Every structure is written in structure tokens, then in C-alpha cells.
Amino acid sequence: MARNRGVNPGRTLALVGGLFAAATTLETALLNLVIWTSYPDLVPFLTYQAAVFLFAGLGFAFAGILERFDPGIPMRAGAAVLAALAVWAALAEHWLGHRPLVAGFLNGSGIGLYWWGFNKQWLRATAPRTRDHYQRLHTFTASTASIATPLAAEMVFRTLPRGEHPLLFGLVTVLLVLLYRTSRRLAPPSPEPFDWKEVPPLSGSWRGLLGASLLWGSRESLVLALPLVFVYVITGTETASGLYLILSSTATLMGGFLVERWLTARSRRRLLWLSAAVLVIAGLGPTLFPSSVALYIFGAANALAVPFAAASYGAASMDIIGGLPQADTHMGQYFLMREWFLTAGRLGSLTILMAGALVLPTETAFRLGFFLTAAGCAAFAAGFAPVVQGRRLGYEN
């Protein structure tokens, strides 16, 4: 294809990842606030979060079917679904806010479709010798992009005290359209057979990766759902939530810069333990001392440390999956199985917190959620450290 001549797929994917981070950072924060202000109670809010992650897993699986028609469809379809959700929210925010399952279905489906396409493109565009380099570039690009939209949101919040959400959802739509256009520059991955009945056996590093995915998912869902809304609950203003986003995004930028400088195949384990220590301590802060200051500190510490853990997890995941039998032709099954473990972890922690919200006061339930993030991160590091930096990755371990 002529349009793909001279295109560096690794750099193009890093740009795509940056656009996705910028768009979804803002869209996720806005939707969380819309759902909470429509139903200011943890149970319906957590129901929305569970719907997002459930349909993300199902969307990830559905992408394997779509790929039979055109391998380039899943990523572009994910961007289109998320853009449609942003347009809908801009035009009918109140209606959507009172239908959390509809919002969760669209948000989760779009995310699942996107990540299927991105992961497959990423594994094919990088090799073990270049993967850490491109992982550093992607982390830095996504970190840089994710600070731009919170800054824009804060400016809008201060300029337009009312009616600012449609403008911000419009910005999300523009970013997703740019993502769609940029992704078309990539040559689509080769189609592959997709048999639901084929399940790779659990052994070696693959088993360690799936266990780590379960634990990472259990932490991820709570961190994405709780802090921003808890800031709003404590302060009662969206401006404070915007400040939280700016602090966390600035720390993410710093973390992405450090990852870009430090991440190598040999440093993955050290960075994993370092980030885990920071994340556990950060999670205990709001657990023991719930306040806006503790939440701001949590947001900054969490955002600074997550790029290290996420980059180590992402790079090692690609090495492990790339080293499995028939990875070239059965990549979809491997990614799908990992996604199911991530989804199980996400839904498991949300279910525990939802059960707690039924019997505990709201503030105590929030504190339980932060404790679960700390415990999940500690377990993730302990389980993933043995395989994150092994000399031999795959079934031979």
C-alpha cells in the first residue's frame, strides 16, 4: 500500500497510543463525574464501572470475529465507538448519566476493540531487541498526551462555570477522529485463524503472566474508578477534580520521562519493585487518612509509579506471548486469554467493593477500595517479579 511507505509502525503506534491516552483520560474522568452526579451512590457507580470492564472483555473477544473481515477494523471501530459515545454525551449528558449500563456498554466495547487492534499491531511492529525502546517511547508519548486534556479541562472549568461538558466531550471527539485517521497509515496485521475452542496450556512464564494479569486488573479497576470521584465527594467541586487530574497527569509525565530513560530488559524487575513500593504506600494514605490532601498525594504518587509497572508488564507480556508456540498464527487466542484474566481481576475487586458498599458507610467503602489497591499491587509485584526479567521467556521456562 502506497500510503504505508516510509511509515515507522512503532513510532506511529506510539502516536496512536498518545492520542488514545489523551482522549480516554478526559472521557473517562468526565463520564465518571456524569454518572456519579446522576446517581451519587457507590452501588450504581460501581455497576457502571463493572459494565465498562465486562464489555471491554467482550469487545476484545468480538474484535477477533471482526478481524476475519478486515484485520484493520478493530482499532478503527474502537475509536469510532468511543467517538460516538463522546458525541452522545455532549448532546444528551443527562439522559446518558441516568443509564449507566448504556454508557458502560459503549465505553467498554470501544476500549476492548481498540486494545485488540493495538496489541496485535504492537507485537508485530516490535521485536525483542527493540521492544523496550518502543515501550519507552509509547509510555513517554502517552504520559505527555495525558496531561494536555486535563489542563484544557481545568481552563474550561475556570472559564465556563456552566455548560462546559459538551465542549470537553467535543475535544474528546476530535482526538478520537485524529486517532482514527492516524491508524489508517498502518498496514493492517495479517489475518489469522481464530478458534474459540483452542486454549493454550498453562505453563511456565505464561502461567505467571496470567496470574499477574488477574492481580493487575484487580488494582486497575479501582484506581480508574475511585480517586477522582472521592475528591469530588470530599470537596463537592469539579474544579478540585480537575486539579487532581492535573497533578496526576503531571506526575504521569514525569514517570513517563523516567521510564523513557531507564527501562531496559535488565531493569524491569528493579523498576517493578520500586513502583510497587510507591503504589502500596500511596494506597495506604487515603485508607488511613481520607482527605483531599491525601488523595492529591495518592494521585501524584500513583501516576508517577504506574508507568514503571505498566511498562515492565507490557514489555514482558509481549516477550512472553511472542515466545509461545504458534504465536504468529494464534496471537489472538493468547491476547484474549490474558484479557479474560484482566477482566476477571477487575470485576472481582469491584464486586468485593460493591458488597462492602452495601453494608458500609460511603467513606468507609472508599477507604476499603484504596486498601484493595495497595494489597493488589503488592500481590502483583510478588507474583510477576519471577517472570518479568527471565532470560528465557515462554514455554521453555
Side-chain angles (χ1 to χ4, degrees), residues 262-292:
W262 293 348
L263 180 66
T264 64
R266 293 184 177 182
S267 68
R268 290 177 190 170
R269 186 177 296 164
R270 292 194 300 272
L271 294 179
L272 177 67
W273 282 118
L274 174 63
S275 62
V278 174
L279 292 172
V280 169
I281 294 172
L284 293 177
T287 302
L288 301 174
F289 311 103
S291 65
S292 58

Side-chain angles (χ1 to χ4, degrees), residues 8-18 75 114-128 130-142 186-189 263 268 310-311 313-319 321-322 331 335 338:
N8 183 312
R11 292 179 180 176
T12 303
L13 282 169
L15 176 58
V16 167
M75 186 188 296
Y114 168 84
W115 278 116
W116 170 280
F118 183 89
N119 283 334
K120 294 194 69 176
Q121 289 273 21
W122 187 261
L123 186 55
R124 294 187 185 280
T126 61
T130 63
R131 190 157 294 139
D132 287 291
H133 165 72
Y134 284 117
Q135 187 69 51
R136 292 195 303 269
L137 179 61
H138 175 241
T139 302
F140 180 72
T141 304
L186 295 163
L263 180 66
R268 290 177 190 170
Y313 171 75
S317 293
M318 295 300 170
D319 284 349
I321 292 175
M331 191 188 308
F335 278 129
R338 186 190 69 163

Side-chain angles (χ1 to χ4, degrees), residues 213-219 221 339-351:
S213 299
L214 183 74
L215 295 168
W216 183 253
S218 70
R219 179 194 178 279
S221 61
E339 184 65 21
W340 280 345
F341 273 76
L342 282 167
T343 301
R346 293 161 179 162
L347 295 178
S349 60
L350 288 174
T351 301

Side-chain angles (χ1 to χ4, degrees), residues 61-75:
F62 182 62
I65 300 174
L66 284 181
E67 191 181 63
R68 296 177 180 176
F69 303 98
D70 181 350
I73 284 179
M75 186 188 296

